[in-house]
């Protein structure tokens, strides 16, 4: 049985030198942690996304100065910055030239090349932090390992090629020396043409789980800024409780519906290979966390409440739906052509209402409903678009076969307008679309009645 652990640290965990030092102490204290995956330092990716959208010279200079300031603050606290400073300067020059190119003509491929530079810098700095603590660490460019397709912004990994790359490059390093840690980047891959790709926002968790799978690791340790997964967001409900253990299915539902602790796709490689995932706080590792496993016990009816804000509801109505075949197929073909995935859906005899998924590295909802897409949808139906909505998902077990659940929910929510409900498609969730300004109150009401 493998004893190897893959650890992943998010942006706030590597935001500055003291945060990086805390992470370094966590990984050096655990001899099983041999592979460490890092996000960019907090704030960097947003600055790089802004540069990738194309800015004028003055704005570019301002954004690059902000990037430099974050990196410089970490460099300044190193005992010896001579070697790593040269590498960081090279990357900053590269960022400048890419930002110049983006100001002339932005492209998805250019965006991915630009926004991956944050991870390149954080990992180089982290290797130096580890070395100054006396640990052995080697920097690896994850693009030499994670192979993907060419869907920039939300690339899909090529599992077979990734396995081959890992066998050829990572396993020899791990076999050679039991003390050496591999430090690499999350969120990034490389397509068959050698171009940089990204796995979509939050993809660092996915990278960690992918590497755990190809290395046959015993677990994935996701170190973040909260001590585990809670029954809901503690910022909304201070009485939220930490969940000690939960199933892959429950965690996937929570992540899909807005709980920011885990990225939905993270769980795919972990579920496939039955690799437990731990979520804990890099700021307070002693506080424990949540283990996500295949079959935890007990499995309560209600596990948690997730909230996803900023939802778009599209309602399509057409009399040609009535007793007709092919209408939905036609709608989904149009959405697929524009690379839009649907989140939740309800239908009646003559209309269909659906919410849209908004994940992707540089994507924002604004350009999802492009004029071209709306024009094509209007050829087959009337189209109504509603915004200012939030999706509240009640996550649990056997929700579709437990009597009395609907009454519990609707009694709790009688004071609120529920715009849409998706119930019965999943054993693990019930989704409700509500007005954004009421979303926090809906979450509080449900948590009070179902969990407290």
């Amino acid at each position: 049985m493998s004893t190897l652990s893959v650890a992943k640290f998010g942006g706030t965990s590597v935001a500055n030198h003291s945060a990086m030092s805390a992470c370094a102490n966590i990984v050096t204290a655990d001899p099983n942690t041999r592979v460490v995956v890092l996000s960019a330092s907090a704030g960097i990716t947003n600055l790089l996304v802004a540069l990738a959208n194309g800015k004028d010279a003055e704005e570019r200079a301002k954004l690059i100065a902000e990037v430099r300031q974050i990196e410089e603050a970490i460099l300044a606290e190193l005992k010896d910055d001579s070697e790593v400073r040269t590498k960081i300067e090279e990357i900053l020059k590269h960022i400048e030239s890419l930002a110049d190119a983006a100001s002339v003509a932005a492209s998805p491929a250019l965006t991915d090349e630009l926004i991956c530079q944050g991870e390149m810098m954080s990992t180089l700095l982290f290797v130096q932090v580890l070395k100054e603590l006396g640990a052995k660490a080697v920097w690896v460019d994850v693009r030499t390992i994670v192979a993907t397709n060419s869907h920039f912004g939300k690339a899909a990994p090529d599992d077979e090629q990734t396995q081959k790359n890992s066998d050829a490059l990572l396993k020899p390093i791990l076999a050679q020396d039991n003390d050496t840690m591999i430090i690499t980047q999350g969120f990034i891959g490389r397509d068959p043409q050698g171009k940089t790709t990204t796995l979509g926002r939050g993809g660092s968790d996915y990278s960690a789980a992918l590497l755990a799978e190809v290395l046959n690791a015993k677990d994935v340790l996701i170190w973040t800024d909260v001590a585990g997964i809670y029954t809901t967001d503690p910022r909304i409900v201070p009485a939220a409780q930490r969940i000690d253990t939960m199933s892959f299915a429950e965690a996937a539902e929570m992540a899909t519906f807005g709980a920011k602790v885990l990225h939905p796709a993270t769980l795919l490689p972990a579920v496939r290979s039955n690799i437990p995932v731990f979520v804990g706080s890099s700021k307070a590792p002693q506080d424990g966390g949540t283990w996500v496993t295949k079959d935890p016990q007990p499995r309560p009816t209600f596990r948690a409440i997730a909230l996803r804000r900023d939802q778009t509801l599209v309602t399509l109505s057409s009399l040609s739906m009535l007793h007709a075949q092919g209408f939905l197929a036609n709608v989904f073909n149009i959405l697929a052509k524009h690379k839009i995935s649907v989140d939740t859906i309800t239908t009646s005899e003559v209309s269909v209402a659906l919410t849209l998924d908004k994940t992707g590295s540089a994507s924002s909802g604004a350009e999802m409903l492009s004029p071209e897409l709306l024009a094509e949808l209007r050829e087959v139906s009337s189209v109504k678009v509603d915004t200012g909505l939030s999706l509240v998902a009640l996550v649990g077990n056997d929700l579709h076969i437990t009597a009395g659940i609907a009454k519990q929910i609707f009694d709790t929510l009688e004071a609120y307008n529920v715009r849409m409900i998706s119930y019965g498609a999943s054993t693990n969730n019930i989704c409700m679309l509500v007005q954004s300004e009421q979303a926090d109150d809906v979450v509080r009401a449900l948590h009070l009645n179902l969990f407290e």
Side-chain angles (χ1 to χ4, degrees):
M1 163 107 184
S2 166
T3 58
L4 179 140
S5 294
V6 175
K8 176 260 171 178
F9 293 93
T12 52
S13 298
V14 291
N16 51 43
H17 185 270
S18 66
M20 280 193 177
S21 300
C23 299
N25 289 328
I26 289 171
V27 297
T28 52
D30 178 9
N32 291 328
T33 299
R34 302 287 312 283
V35 178
V36 181
V37 175
L38 299 189
S39 298
S41 297
I44 293 284
T45 303
N46 289 341
L47 293 167
L48 296 176
V49 167
L51 285 166
N53 290 335
K55 301 289 180 195
D56 62 34
E58 190 182 340
E59 185 67 10
R60 288 203 302 279
K62 184 168 158 287
L63 291 165
I64 289 164
E66 286 183 55
V67 172
R68 182 181 287 278
Q69 193 179 355
I70 294 170
E71 304 302 333
E72 187 59 50
I74 302 172
L75 283 165
E77 293 202 46
L78 294 170
K79 293 190 190 93
D80 175 12
D81 69 353
S82 54
E83 194 183 328
V84 72
R85 180 177 284 279
T86 311
K87 294 172 182 168
I88 298 293
E89 283 297 337
E90 281 171 18
I91 292 172
L92 288 167
K93 282 202 186 85
H94 188 40
I95 288 171
E96 279 183 45
S97 64
L98 291 168
D100 290 348
S103 70
V104 178
S107 75
L110 179 61
T111 296
D112 279 3
E113 177 63 34
L114 182 47
I115 63 181
C116 87
Q117 302 305 320
E119 278 75 10
M120 294 294 152
M121 292 189 285
S122 65
T123 45
L124 285 166
L125 290 162
F126 191 65
V127 168
Q128 184 61 27
V129 169
L130 281 166
K131 284 180 177 171
E132 292 185 0
L133 284 174
K136 285 191 197 168
V138 56
W139 185 86
V140 170
D141 186 337
V142 81
R143 293 173 296 188
T144 61
I145 313 296
V146 176
T148 73
N149 64 8
S150 303
H151 186 176
F152 299 104
K154 204 178 176 187
D158 174 341
D159 297 325
E160 200 176 319
Q161 188 57 49
T162 300
Q163 182 70 62
K164 284 179 189 165
N165 294 345
S166 169
D167 292 346
L169 298 164
L170 291 184
K171 286 182 180 174
I173 298 172
L174 294 167
Q176 197 176 328
D177 182 350
N178 282 341
D179 298 332
T180 299
M181 255 181 285
I182 291 170
I183 310 302
T184 194
Q185 306 78 33
F187 174 62
I188 305 167
R190 182 174 276 161
D191 79 354
Q193 285 71 48
K195 287 188 172 169
T196 300
T197 56
T198 62
L199 306 178
R201 253 213 155 128
S204 295
D205 292 351
Y206 194 3
S207 305
L210 276 173
L211 294 176
E213 184 176 47
V214 295
L215 292 168
N216 189 28
K218 78 173 171 78
D219 50 32
V220 181
L221 312 173
I222 306 278
W223 294 102
T224 175
D225 50 4
V226 288
I229 301 173
Y230 284 73
T231 46
T232 196
D233 186 339
R235 289 168 300 187
I236 299 172
V237 182
Q241 303 130 29
R242 188 176 70 212
I243 302 164
D244 292 329
T245 175
M246 67 193 308
S247 69
F248 285 127
E250 292 168 325
E253 294 285 358
M254 280 195 73
T256 302
F257 291 108
K260 293 191 171 57
V261 180
L262 280 176
H263 186 257
T266 308
L267 300 168
L268 295 177
V271 173
R272 263 194 318 238
S273 300
N274 194 16
I275 299 169
V277 177
F278 173 79
V279 180
S281 167
S282 62
K283 294 175 174 62
Q286 69 285 353
D287 288 356
T290 301
W291 279 100
V292 185
T293 60
K294 194 173 184 178
D295 188 24
Q297 297 300 331
R299 296 178 80 157
T301 303
F302 298 118
R303 180 70 90 181
I305 301 164
L307 171 63
R308 187 150 70 190
R309 302 184 195 275
D310 189 24
Q311 295 298 288
T312 301
L313 177 68
V314 180
T315 307
L316 309 171
S317 306
S318 171
L319 289 173
S320 61
M321 267 182 85
L322 201 60
H323 308 306
Q325 290 90 37
F327 178 80
L328 274 180
N330 196 3
V331 166
F332 278 97
N333 279 335
I334 294 169
L335 292 169
K337 180 178 146 189
H338 290 270
K339 295 196 163 52
I340 301 268
S341 66
V342 171
D343 243 353
T344 57
I345 179 168
T346 59
T347 64
S348 75
E349 282 293 336
V350 293
S351 61
V352 53
L354 36 92
T355 62
L356 306 180
D357 183 11
K358 280 194 178 182
T359 48
S361 63
S363 69
S364 69
E367 69 273 12
M368 281 178 63
L369 288 171
S370 63
E372 296 79 15
L373 168 61
L374 290 170
E376 282 193 55
L377 289 172
R378 285 190 178 111
E379 283 174 23
V380 297
S381 64
S382 70
V383 180
K384 182 170 184 284
V385 178
D386 288 302
T387 55
L389 298 163
S390 293
L391 198 65
V392 176
L394 187 55
V395 177
N397 293 284
D398 295 331
L399 295 173
H400 63 317
I401 55 169
T402 306
I405 280 184
K407 183 179 188 311
Q408 269 182 286
I409 293 169
F410 292 121
D411 283 354
T412 304
L413 299 183
E414 66 177 332
Y416 303 99
N417 172 34
V418 178
R419 181 71 182 76
M420 177 173 136
I421 292 167
S422 179
Y423 180 21
S426 163
T427 66
N428 291 107
N429 83 56
I430 298 168
C431 288
M432 292 151 281
L433 200 63
V434 299
Q435 298 298 327
S436 286
E437 62 269 20
Q438 296 185 329
D440 287 11
D441 291 337
V442 167
V443 170
R444 288 185 197 108
L446 286 168
H447 197 275
L448 181 66
N449 281 9
L450 305 178
F451 293 92
E452 293 175 42

